[in-house]
Amino acid sequence: MSTQRLSKHKGRGSGSAVDGRYLEHSREAVDDGWQQPPEDKRIPTTVTVEKARTIISRNQSPDIPFDRSINPYRGCEHGCIYCYARPTHAYHDLSPGIDFESRLFAKPNAAELLRQELSHKNYRCRPIALGTNTDPYQPVERQWQITRAIVEVLKECRHPLTIVTKSWLVERDIDLLAPMAAANLVKVFLSVTTLDQKLARVMEPRASAPQRRLQSIRILHDAGIPTGLMFAPVIPFINDAEMEKVLEHGREAGAATAGYVMLRLPHEIKQLFKEWLQLHAPLKAKHVMNIVRDIRRGKENDPNFHSRMRGSGEYAHLIRQRFQAACKRFGLNQEGRRELDTSAFRAPLPESGQQSLF
């Protein structure tokens, strides 16, 4: 049985310390009549150094347009309640709930490892994705600057990359990204799930405010960096009514492309999300979960390729039609997909700075 210790934590998306599924023993909170009403608590963020042995992750999923990615951090301080990466904290015997957003792991040797892997004689250049599991520009990046070090290596090697983020901090690296964009080596996507600041504050509490993300799209666009918008995830009866408005504002800010992903609830996220609904949208909770089961073939999650990102059934079909119609109306995704340039890649120089003769 999973633990359910639900309380309010200021600035955090989850109020739960749900146990990870790999623990040998789990605990359950019991009301014995002596407990005080839960009070608002502030939980500090801690960062543990992780000595990574490799840095490029590979995948063969047909649902996503990349086959390799880099995650500078484990866990994400943004605290998005719907984040599909939350269950990865269970591998460390930590809670996918509050631990995921407060007990982070940083990989300060990421850039060094990236140099080594790009230098391998069998390496074949393909775009690297940043921001696939956790946000590369989450608040701790201001201090650790691991993402910036990674981008510096990729720029030096003329290696293409894509970035997905919810943070204005990506603007800090325009000095690196703009020259890469001029050489067709980078695309940046800002994820905007709602324009309702009250909803954003409880759903993704430490991500940049929605209007600030739209401003980042404009700033990146004006710097000549190809920029897109992600409306992800689509949550039935929580943010789905805003789809057209978000796409319209994104286009006005300079986004040329857009995408969406349906809400996914793998593993512990099912419990975390249902707890969040009871706390923040109790009158909608039952209806939301009924629609979730409708788009997931009667279950609360569908892990299968091809259907896990878009869902199935009437509701999923309606969302797909609305998205396509809105993109056509606002001029999004109208140009053919432009592939990033992989031909300019050059392996990094060895530490000596001298090229090999062979």
Side-chain angles (χ1 to χ4, degrees):
M1 183 180 296
S2 295
T3 304
Q4 189 170 344
R5 300 186 294 278
L6 189 62
S7 59
K8 293 181 180 179
H9 301 294
K10 289 185 177 180
R12 299 297 182 183
S14 173
S16 175
V18 58
D19 286 334
R21 60 196 180 280
Y22 298 115
L23 289 175
E24 183 178 357
H25 301 287
S26 63
R27 296 157 292 173
E28 182 180 10
V30 175
D31 184 0
D32 60 1
W34 291 100
Q35 290 183 330
Q36 297 295 320
E39 299 178 355
D40 284 353
K41 303 175 183 177
R42 289 193 182 275
I43 294 184
T45 299
T46 63
V47 181
T48 300
V49 170
E50 177 181 329
K51 192 70 173 178
R53 289 181 290 183
T54 61
I55 200 60
I56 300 178
S57 299
R58 310 277 179 162
N59 78 82
Q60 296 180 336
S61 170
D63 295 321
I64 48 181
F66 57 85
D67 67 354
R68 63 200 69 184
S69 61
I70 294 177
N71 291 294
Y73 305 95
R74 292 185 190 270
C76 186
E77 200 175 4
H78 282 166
C80 304
I81 190 60
Y82 49 74
C83 181
Y84 61 82
R86 282 182 175 272
T88 59
H89 249 46
Y91 300 140
H92 298 273
D93 289 341
L94 295 173
S95 169
I98 194 64
D99 288 346
F100 176 80
E101 52 193 278
S102 63
R103 298 177 65 176
L104 311 181
F105 296 83
K107 307 173 186 177
N109 64 333
E112 176 188 350
L113 289 174
L114 179 59
R115 283 185 174 277
Q116 295 174 8
E117 294 180 37
L118 296 183
S119 298
H120 197 282
K121 63 180 181 180
N122 293 326
Y123 182 78
R124 296 294 178 266
C125 180
R126 292 283 298 162
I128 287 176
L130 288 176
T132 56
N133 251 22
T134 58
D135 200 308
Y137 288 100
Q138 60 179 288
V140 293
E141 166 63 15
R142 283 177 287 183
Q143 174 185 353
W144 288 82
Q145 299 195 38
I146 299 172
T147 298
R148 182 172 176 86
I150 290 170
V151 176
E152 287 175 336
V153 173
L154 295 174
K155 178 179 180 294
E156 174 191 331
C157 299
R158 301 175 186 172
H159 194 296
L161 78 151
T162 61
I163 296 171
V164 179
T165 183
K166 290 186 175 74
S167 175
W168 67 269
L169 187 58
V170 65
E171 298 167 18
R172 179 201 64 188
D173 293 343
I174 285 178
D175 61 317
L176 302 174
L177 299 174
M180 295 183 72
N184 189 28
L185 293 174
V186 67
K187 294 178 183 178
V188 179
F189 296 85
L190 270 293
S191 178
V192 182
T193 51
T194 179
L195 299 178
D196 182 340
Q197 296 216 24
K198 183 178 179 181
L199 175 59
R201 188 175 294 277
V202 297
M203 188 168 66
E204 41 197 31
R206 297 200 178 189
S208 298
Q211 293 297 332
R212 187 64 183 85
R213 289 178 237 174
L214 291 172
Q215 183 180 348
S216 291
I217 291 177
R218 183 172 293 108
I219 290 171
L220 293 168
H221 170 74
D222 291 346
I225 300 168
T227 312
L229 179 143
M230 290 296 297
F231 185 68
V234 179
I235 307 177
F237 292 92
I238 298 295
N239 72 339
D240 55 348
E242 294 188 75
M243 175 185 284
E244 288 82 358
K245 184 182 294 186
V246 170
L247 294 176
E248 181 180 11
H249 282 255
R251 179 57 175 158
E252 290 174 354
T257 58
Y260 78 95
V261 176
M262 199 66 70
L263 174 69
R264 298 170 56 197
L265 299 176
H267 304 299
E268 294 88 352
I269 304 181
K270 300 182 191 69
Q271 178 180 335
L272 293 169
F273 183 70
K274 286 187 281 188
E275 290 172 355
W276 181 88
L277 284 174
Q278 290 298 330
L279 194 61
H280 298 289
L283 298 181
K284 295 181 179 181
K286 183 177 179 180
H287 194 37
V288 170
M289 292 309 301
N290 283 340
I291 299 298
V292 167
R293 283 185 282 271
D294 178 66
I295 63 178
R296 298 303 181 189
R297 307 175 194 272
K299 301 179 180 180
E300 292 178 345
N301 186 56
D302 175 10
N304 296 314
F305 290 148
H306 305 296
S307 60
R308 60 179 182 156
M309 298 295 190
R310 294 289 188 262
S312 57
E314 293 183 6
Y315 177 87
H317 180 64
L318 176 61
I319 290 295
R320 185 161 50 250
Q321 287 185 318
R322 285 177 52 194
F323 178 80
Q324 292 171 349
C327 286
K328 184 176 181 180
R329 187 190 323 160
F330 302 129
L332 290 158
N333 298 338
Q334 297 307 297
E335 300 179 3
R337 182 177 173 182
R338 184 185 180 189
E339 299 292 340
L340 296 176
D341 185 15
T342 58
S343 65
F345 170 72
R346 60 184 182 189
L349 292 173
E351 292 184 1
S352 65
Q354 183 176 350
Q355 291 277 19
S356 171
L357 295 176
F358 303 98

